[in-house]
Amino acid sequence: MDFEQLYITWYSRLKFFAREYVLSDADAENIVQDIFTDLYEKREVLEIPVNMVAYLFTATKNRCINHIHRKILEQETSQWMQDEYSLTLRMKFNSLEAFDLEFASDNEIESRLEKALQSLPERCREIFIMNKFEGIKQKDIAKLLNISVNTVENQMAVAYKKLREELKDYIPLLILLLGI
């Protein structure tokens, strides 16, 4: 059977077979088109005696499996990303709900911030205050304290982490006051 006759005889049957599994006419058509394209490119190799019907259905089955597997992975990834986004939104929502603007008197803010700052190790607190409250650049802090810029950066990272933990229910306060 020549290629054209094979195509005319089996194209619609293979498309119907593929559509039963991939659930989309367009996807089924693409799968079968790809199979016939590959077959046409390999026509010299396949001139040896081959059960062409078995070859066509096996190729279609395998392409459908690959297509379905890829779609499942796409769906799972999409769902995971949606779950992560929902979790982030929920945390932000809870943080904002917990953030009570009633406590926002100057004394209350100072008290909470002071308590959080006191939880920092002494050197870490000193570096943080110099940078955030006194506006001294990190390289200048390093020179003043006779330490490396890397040490200043590490101490700032420690300060940020501890302050986030201490003020976790007041994330808007952290952003507002410290730009963390």
Side-chain angles (χ1 to χ4, degrees), residues 3-180:
F3 180 81
E4 185 177 342
Q5 187 60 43
L6 191 67
Y7 183 86
I8 292 169
T9 304
W10 291 102
Y11 177 83
S12 60
R13 294 177 194 178
L14 292 171
K15 182 180 169 191
F16 178 79
F17 175 78
R19 189 182 57 220
E20 288 298 311
Y21 295 98
V22 299
L23 308 175
S24 159
D25 279 334
D27 290 337
E29 189 172 316
N30 288 334
I31 287 170
V32 176
Q33 286 288 356
D34 288 347
I35 289 167
F36 276 105
T37 300
D38 288 349
L39 182 63
Y40 184 79
E41 291 171 355
K42 296 176 186 175
R43 65 188 179 282
E44 287 84 29
V45 175
L46 291 176
E47 293 213 0
I48 56 174
V50 157
N51 181 343
M52 197 52 69
V53 174
Y55 173 84
L56 290 171
F57 276 96
T58 300
T60 304
K61 175 195 83 160
N62 290 338
R63 298 269 177 130
C64 287
I65 288 171
N66 291 342
H67 176 81
I68 291 168
H69 181 69
R70 189 172 49 256
K71 288 289 187 186
I72 289 170
L73 288 176
E74 288 172 4
Q75 287 292 327
E76 288 173 350
T77 301
S78 175
Q79 184 62 48
W80 178 83
M81 290 171 66
Q82 185 62 39
D83 291 347
E84 286 293 311
Y85 181 73
S86 294
L87 180 61
T88 301
L89 284 179
R90 174 71 47 202
M91 287 176 13
K92 302 276 185 198
F93 177 78
N94 291 340
S95 175
L96 284 172
E97 277 195 329
F99 184 68
D100 186 0
L101 291 177
E102 302 271 329
F103 92 97
S105 72
D106 289 344
N107 292 338
E108 182 81 21
I109 292 172
E110 284 182 34
S111 172
R112 290 195 188 274
L113 190 54
E114 184 61 34
K115 182 181 177 196
L117 288 172
Q118 289 305 318
S119 72
L120 298 175
E122 187 177 332
R123 186 63 150 201
C124 184
R125 180 175 56 246
E126 178 184 14
I127 291 170
F128 186 82
I129 289 171
M130 290 173 82
N131 182 253
K132 287 297 180 182
F133 294 110
E134 297 173 11
I136 302 172
K137 294 180 181 178
Q138 291 184 3
K139 66 179 181 177
D140 296 332
I141 294 171
K143 286 180 188 173
L144 286 169
L145 299 178
N146 199 26
I147 57 176
S148 73
V149 173
N150 193 34
T151 300
V152 173
E153 290 171 352
N154 289 337
Q155 290 299 302
M156 289 297 291
V158 168
Y160 282 138
K161 183 178 180 193
K162 288 190 178 268
L163 289 173
R164 273 191 212 104
E165 290 170 7
E166 284 290 320
L167 298 170
K168 68 179 176 270
D169 293 331
Y170 304 100
I171 296 297
L173 178 64
L174 280 170
I175 294 168
L176 180 67
L177 295 176
L178 306 174
I180 298 178

